C-alpha cells in the first residue's frame, strides 16, 4: 500500500546529528568518559579493596543508622549470603556503577529541579524532555551511548543516568513547589535573600519529597545497570545475561537474588535517610 506522504528520513537526520556531534565534540566525550570511568574505578577500588567483612559491618551500621535494627539484620544476613554465593566482587562492581549513576543524577538533577520550580518557562521546556526520557525504551539509550563512548562501564553509566534522572528532577521541582506560601512570605518579610530562602526554608521542607525522587533514581539506575551488561558493563547484570544465554536457571536465580538484596538494601537505606532528615 503506497503512502499518502513520502516517509520522513528521520533516521538519516538522527545519524547526521550523531556524526556531527562525534566529529566536533569528540574531546568533550573523551573528558566525560575519563571522569565517569575514574569515578566508577574509585568506588570499585574502595568497595573491593576493603575486606568483605568490613564492608558488611559498615553497611550494617549505615542501615541501622538509617532505619531500624531489623533492616540492619537484613543487611548483615543479605550481604553475607551474597559473599557466600560467590557474587561479592560482582555485587560491588554493580554497586559502584549504581553509585556513580546516582551521584551524577543527583548533582545534575537537583539544580535542574530547583530551576524548574523557580521558572515556569524552564518547567514547560524540561517536562516534555523528562517524559521523553522516561517513555523511550531503555535499550534505545544503549545505541548512542555505544557510539559516543564505546563498550564497557562508561556507556552503561551514561544510559543509566538518562533513564534514572527524571524522578530526581520531577520530585525536587514538586517538593519546592509544595512549600507553604505563608512560610515563603514570612521569610521574605524577614528580609531573607534568595539563597537564604532556598537553603534554610525551601530545601529543608522539601527534603522528604526530594529523597523519594533520589530513591527512585537509584532503583532505576540499578535496573538499567543490569540491562547495560549487554554492552559490556560488568557486575551482576553480566551474570544474569550469561545465565539467560546459557539457560542456566540456577546461576540466574542466584544472581537475581543478589540483585534483589542490593535493591532492597539501597531502597530501605535511602527511605530511612529521608525520614530521618525530616524528623
Amino acid at each position: 500500500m503506497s503512502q499518502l506522504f513520502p516517509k520522513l528520513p528521520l533516521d538519516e537526520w538522527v545519524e547526521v546529528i550523531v556524526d556531527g556531534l562525534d566529529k566536533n565534540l569528540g574531546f568533550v566525550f573523551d573528558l566525560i568518559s575519563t571522569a565517569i570511568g575514574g569515578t566508577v574505578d574509585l568506588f570499585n577500588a574502595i568497595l573491593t579493596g576493603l575486606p568483605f567483612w568490613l564492608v558488611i559491618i559498615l553497611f550494617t551500621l549505615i542501615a541501622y543508622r538509617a532505619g531500624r535494627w531489623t533492616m540492619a539484620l537484613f543487611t548483615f544476613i543479605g550481604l553475607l549470603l551474597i559473599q557466600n554465593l560467590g557474587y561479592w566482587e560482582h555485587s560491588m562492581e554493580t554497586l559502584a556503577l549504581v553509585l556513580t549513576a546516582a551521584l551524577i543524577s543527583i548533582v545534575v538533577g537537583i539544580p535542574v529541579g530547583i530551576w524548574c520550580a523557580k521558572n515556569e518557562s524552564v518547567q514547560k521546556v524540561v517536562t516534555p524532555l523528562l517524559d521523553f526520557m522516561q517513555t523511550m525504551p531503555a535499550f534505545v539509550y544503549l545505541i548512542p551511548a555505544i557510539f559516543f563512548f564505546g563498550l564497557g562501564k562508561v556507556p552503561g553509566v551514561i544510559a543509566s543516568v538518562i533513564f534514572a534522572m527524571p524522578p530526581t528532577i520531577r520530585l525536587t521541582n514538586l517538593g519546592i513547589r509544595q512549600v507553604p506560601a505563608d512560610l515563603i512570605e514570612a521569610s521574605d518579610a524577614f528580609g531573607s535573600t534568595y539563597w537564604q530562602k532556598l537553603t534554610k526554608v525551601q530545601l529543608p521542607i522539601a527534603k522528604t519529597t526530594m529523597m523519594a525522587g533520589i530513591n527512585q533514581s537509584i532503583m532505576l539506575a540499578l535496573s538499567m545497570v543490569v540491562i547495560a551488561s549487554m554492552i559490556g558493563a560488568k557486575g551482576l547484570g553480566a551474570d544474569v545475561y550469561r545465565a539467560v544465554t546459557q539457560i542456566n536457571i540456577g546461576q540466574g536465580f542466584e544472581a537475581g537474588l543478589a540483585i534483589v538484596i542490593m535493591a532492597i538494601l539501597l531502597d530501605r537505606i535511602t527511605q530511612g535517610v529521608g525520614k530521618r532528615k525530616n524528623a
Side-chain angles (χ1 to χ4, degrees):
M1 182 179 177
S2 61
Q3 291 180 315
L4 183 59
F5 299 104
K7 176 183 177 297
L8 291 173
L10 188 59
D11 53 346
E12 296 178 7
W13 294 346
V14 171
E15 289 184 6
V16 168
I17 293 173
V18 170
D19 288 339
L21 290 174
D22 186 48
K23 290 178 181 176
N24 298 306
L25 299 176
F27 67 99
V28 176
F29 296 126
D30 290 339
L31 288 176
I32 294 173
S33 180
T34 302
I36 292 177
T39 305
V40 175
D41 290 340
L42 177 62
F43 280 128
N44 198 29
I46 294 172
L47 292 170
T48 58
L50 295 173
F52 77 89
W53 54 267
L54 181 57
V55 176
I56 291 176
I57 291 174
L58 289 175
F59 272 102
T60 302
L61 292 174
I62 293 172
Y64 178 75
R65 180 72 176 168
R68 297 177 298 176
W69 68 269
T70 51
M71 187 56 216
L73 182 62
F74 171 84
T75 302
F76 181 78
I77 295 175
L79 292 179
L80 208 58
L81 178 62
I82 290 175
Q83 199 279 334
N84 177 263
L85 294 175
Y87 291 94
W88 180 259
E89 186 173 347
H90 289 184
S91 296
M92 294 302 105
E93 290 174 350
T94 298
L95 185 58
L97 292 171
V98 172
L99 289 176
T100 304
L103 178 64
I104 297 172
S105 298
I106 292 169
V107 169
V108 177
I110 288 180
V112 174
I114 294 172
W115 196 15
C116 290
K118 299 289 185 182
N119 191 315
E120 290 291 339
S121 299
V122 173
Q123 187 192 21
K124 289 179 182 177
V125 173
V126 171
T127 299
L129 293 176
L130 298 180
D131 295 338
F132 180 84
M133 292 164 68
Q134 286 192 292
T135 54
M136 180 68 74
F139 289 96
V140 177
Y141 293 131
L142 300 179
I143 300 172
I146 293 172
F147 186 85
F148 290 122
F149 301 100
L151 298 175
K153 58 198 173 190
V154 173
V157 171
I158 294 289
S160 301
V161 169
I162 297 173
F163 188 61
M165 190 186 296
T168 298
I169 298 175
R170 288 185 191 279
L171 292 179
T172 299
N173 177 24
L174 177 65
I176 292 178
R177 288 178 180 273
Q178 287 179 333
V179 175
D182 54 345
L183 293 179
I184 302 298
E185 292 175 0
S187 61
D188 288 334
F190 281 99
S192 300
T193 63
Y194 174 89
W195 289 108
Q196 286 174 330
K197 187 167 58 179
L198 178 66
T199 57
K200 297 183 183 300
V201 179
Q202 292 173 310
L203 290 180
I205 294 175
K207 270 181 182 175
T208 301
T209 306
M210 291 170 62
M211 283 304 300
I214 292 171
N215 172 277
Q216 290 303 307
S217 290
I218 292 174
M219 293 297 102
L220 290 174
L222 180 58
S223 66
M224 191 63 194
V225 161
V226 174
I227 296 174
S229 65
M230 296 176 63
I231 57 173
K234 296 180 180 178
L236 293 171
D239 294 317
V240 173
Y241 182 65
R242 190 181 308 111
V244 171
T245 55
Q246 298 175 353
I247 316 179
N248 190 333
I249 299 174
Q251 184 186 5
F253 178 79
E254 287 182 348
L257 180 63
I259 292 172
V260 170
I261 292 172
M262 298 284 291
I264 294 175
L265 191 157
L266 293 172
D267 178 64
R268 298 299 186 274
I269 287 179
T270 50
Q271 282 189 19
V273 169
K275 293 175 182 176
R276 190 176 187 83
K277 292 286 184 182
N278 193 45

